[in-house]
Amino acid sequence: MSSTAPSTSATAPETGTARVKRGMAEQLKGGVIMDVVNAEQAKIAEDAGAVAVMALERVPADIRKDGGVARMSDPNMIEEIIEAVSIPVMAKSRIGHFVEAQVLQSLGVDYIDESEVLTPADEVNHSDKWAFTTPFVCGATNLGEALRRIAEGAAMIRSKGEAGTGNVVEAVRHLRQIKNEIAKLRGFDNNELYAAAKELRAPYELVKEVAELGKLPVVLFSAGGVATPADAALMRQLGAEGVFVGSGIFKSGDPAKRAAAIVKATTFYDDPKIIADASRNLGEAMVGINCDTLPEAERYANRGW
Amino acid sequence: MSTADTSGTPVIGVLALQGDVREHLIALAAADALARPVRRPEELDGLDGLVIPGGESTVMSKLAVLFGMLEPLRERVRAGLPVYGTCAGMIMLADKLLDGREDQETLGGIDMIVRRNAFGRQNESFEAAVEMAGVEGGPVEGVFIRAPWVESVGAAAEVLATHDGHTVAVRQGNVLATSFHPELTGDHRVHALFVDMARQHALAAV
């Protein structure tokens, strides 16, 4: 053996580990991640106290309005946003479009959202997220879906809600669903966990881990429909560790003010006085859509499996 | 005031404006402290120590200003309350900050210049073994996430650890700071070191 090669065993720095990926999401907890479509909005979000921004070409409300195929954003636009702010920048790839994800990783985004808000590129497979250094966040409507995404390498989960509606009802439904299913697992004995895994269509090891921890092994945020400070606080009280706000900010009358108000209400989610103060004189909220009247085909939450 | 004088268990707050508060509460409890989250000025009363967690330092700073926490926190640091900051917490404890936002306030407490996100963006985040002075039993697992490093320290500050030539752990008096996140590892030795600092401080005050 040559004696010139330095030992690389214990001290060699290692990037892209599960702990580094999941740990990044831990740092975002208690915060608000805001959708932005250009550098100017990104700066408004950062000024308002966003913990990260999500760079995308159109906010979900506009994707709904415009129709057509929604894809990864222009790399120029993502780079401009990375340049404009010092907080973490996330960006969306289509479900199963691992080449969009490769591009996003090469641009140096801090997190990739494999998102149902964009038009899925694969109706069977999600991307293999273990293959990336950049961590992934994925949406889920229930515990089984969350665990399948974690099995594929997702380092953070957001309950899906229904993006671009400004209606919190689906966000509540999905977060409650995930929390209820976790609570149910807590009550199971070891014999029952095998059948539970089968029913959840999720790996047994992950199901067992959730049963033991009483929570997901990764951070859980809420998304899809938060439009007001009280909405954000509601999701926090229901157990979300932070919130994504998409169209709710930049489709409202006074985005800077509303963004700052949602940040305050997310931190003091259990203090109605502070939420009340944050809710004063915010101007018009986004108009919103009644989810009952939304045709099945237009429900983004149904995308992904 | 504190309970440390009767039971020897120091009461340690974790600044809970934003960040990985839960992990610090767990690590502190495992290191035999009574840990509780702190968001309001009055909740600083009766503490034997305070942890400033990892998170987004710009957000923590902004919320500290908005909710009247900045000056009360500075007063506590000046008065000698033991404080430990990880990552964003290290930034908050720096007397001087590079690559922060222009309006970004820190508490200060350690005569050091800290560069925010110095190790790079998330793709450059890494794990490495770190030898830390004052922590027995071999290196700690250093988890560095968009981590800062210390560019330089003043005479009163003691460098406890370096990585790749950069200072990543510093202590000055009762104030301790690391670029990395022991709270994410399940190895509670750094927290034990801090809990001990808080315990000594509480006993000395009796």
Side-chain angles (χ1 to χ4, degrees):
Chain A
M1 289 291 285
S2 157
S3 61
T4 54
S7 161
T8 54
S9 57
T11 51
E14 208 183 338
T15 58
T17 62
R19 194 150 61 177
V20 154
K21 289 172 167 179
R22 293 177 180 190
M24 170 70 206
E26 303 286 355
Q27 309 312 312
L28 301 173
K29 285 192 300 192
V32 183
I33 299 168
M34 304 182 190
D35 277 4
V36 297
V37 302
N38 55 43
E40 187 197 350
Q41 288 188 356
K43 281 197 182 121
I44 292 172
E46 186 182 43
D47 287 344
V51 80
V53 291
M54 175 75 69
L56 74 175
E57 219 148 54
R58 291 174 288 171
V59 295
D62 286 333
I63 293 174
R64 272 186 198 288
K65 207 170 67 194
D66 300 350
V69 175
R71 310 178 179 91
M72 177 189 78
S73 298
D74 186 318
N76 271 347
M77 175 272 227
I78 294 169
E79 279 174 351
E80 279 165 26
I81 288 172
I82 288 174
E83 280 301 306
V85 296
S86 67
I87 56 177
V89 176
M90 302 182 166
K92 289 180 193 287
S93 78
R94 281 179 265 179
I95 289 173
H97 205 315
F98 51 85
V99 173
E100 284 188 349
Q102 290 164 4
V103 170
L104 293 175
Q105 172 165 289
S106 79
L107 294 175
V109 304
D110 296 290
Y111 241 90
I112 298 168
D113 184 359
E114 188 181 24
S115 176
E116 70 282 0
V117 169
L118 305 186
T119 310
D122 188 324
E123 292 189 328
V124 179
N125 306 293
H126 286 247
S127 296
D128 169 17
K129 293 165 273 290
W130 296 112
F132 291 79
T133 304
T134 312
F136 278 72
V137 55
C138 287
T141 59
N142 57 53
L143 181 59
E145 195 177 358
L147 295 182
R148 287 192 291 280
R149 296 297 84 77
I150 294 167
E152 294 156 3
M156 178 180 187
I157 294 293
R158 52 175 176 75
S159 56
K160 281 182 179 170
E162 195 53 51
T165 62
N167 187 339
V168 81
V169 66
E170 295 298 309
V172 168
R173 186 195 317 280
H174 298 153
L175 189 63
R176 277 201 187 278
Q177 178 72 27
I178 293 168
K179 302 297 281 188
N180 286 345
E181 286 176 296
I182 292 173
K184 226 167 92 187
L185 279 189
R186 290 284 271 176
F188 285 0
D189 67 29
N190 281 342
N191 301 295
E192 293 170 307
L193 288 179
Y194 295 94
K198 191 176 158 194
E199 200 165 305
L200 288 166
R201 294 188 292 128
Y204 166 76
E205 288 71 23
L206 279 176
V207 171
K208 190 166 164 26
E209 193 178 356
V210 170
E212 280 165 6
L213 290 172
K215 66 184 283 299
L216 295 180
V218 302
V219 167
L220 172 63
F221 268 46
S222 162
V226 169
T228 69
D231 287 348
L234 174 66
M235 300 320 295
R236 291 277 278 135
Q237 287 202 27
L238 288 172
E241 297 179 283
V243 294
F244 284 84
V245 185
S247 321
I249 289 170
F250 288 100
K251 284 286 156 190
S252 74
D254 189 341
K257 203 168 172 190
R258 183 167 294 264
I262 290 175
V263 169
K264 287 182 202 166
T266 301
T267 295
F268 286 93
Y269 63 95
D270 52 354
D271 189 328
K273 278 210 173 91
I274 291 178
I275 301 166
D277 281 341
S279 305
R280 290 174 209 278
N281 299 318
L282 292 183
E284 251 175 88
M286 72 178 283
V287 176
I289 297 173
N290 277 321
C291 292
D292 303 346
T293 58
L294 207 58
E296 280 298 310
E298 290 176 25
R299 288 177 182 255
Y300 296 155
N302 292 343
R303 298 168 169 177
W305 32 87
Chain B
M1 284 286 283
S2 87
T3 62
D5 45 350
T6 53
S7 67
T9 304
V11 180
I12 297 183
V14 179
L15 187 66
L17 295 171
Q18 190 272 318
D20 66 344
V21 176
R22 177 180 173 273
E23 287 60 38
H24 276 289
L25 293 172
I26 291 170
L28 288 166
D32 291 327
L34 207 65
R36 64 175 197 225
V38 167
R39 284 179 298 178
R40 299 173 180 85
E42 61 271 24
E43 292 166 356
L44 291 168
D45 293 339
L47 295 182
D48 301 309
L50 178 74
V51 165
I52 305 181
E56 175 46 53
S57 64
T58 59
V59 176
M60 243 181 254
S61 163
K62 189 176 298 289
L63 289 168
V65 172
L66 271 174
F67 290 99
M69 281 295 269
L70 194 69
E71 282 311 319
L73 284 168
R74 281 178 175 162
E75 271 165 37
R76 294 309 198 285
V77 175
R78 270 198 300 268
L81 181 75
V83 184
Y84 172 34
T86 63
C87 196
M90 170 186 258
I91 290 171
M92 292 293 282
L93 293 172
D95 281 354
K96 229 181 135 193
L97 175 61
L98 301 176
D99 292 346
R101 278 172 56 91
E102 268 172 35
D103 62 350
Q104 189 168 348
E105 299 278 357
T106 70
L107 307 178
I110 299 182
D111 182 6
M112 61 178 173
I113 300 173
V114 169
R115 186 179 293 278
R116 182 167 164 250
N117 300 342
F119 282 105
R121 303 186 69 87
Q122 176 59 18
N123 286 345
E124 284 81 57
S125 293
F126 64 96
E127 290 186 41
V130 176
E131 286 283 358
M132 184 163 162
V135 176
E136 304 289 318
V140 299
E141 302 164 77
V143 180
F144 294 82
I145 298 174
R146 285 174 52 99
W149 69 46
V150 180
E151 295 258 326
S152 65
V153 296
E158 183 192 356
V159 173
L160 301 182
T162 60
H163 173 79
D164 204 16
H166 301 290
T167 296
V168 294
V170 177
R171 178 175 176 176
Q172 180 175 326
N174 276 333
V175 188
L176 178 69
T178 60
S179 302
F180 51 91
H181 294 277
E183 74 277 13
L184 297 177
T185 63
D187 176 349
H188 305 307
R189 285 177 295 162
V190 180
H191 284 81
L193 168 72
F194 178 66
V195 170
D196 204 45
M197 285 164 61
R199 190 180 290 120
Q200 299 303 328
H201 177 74
L203 290 173
V206 173

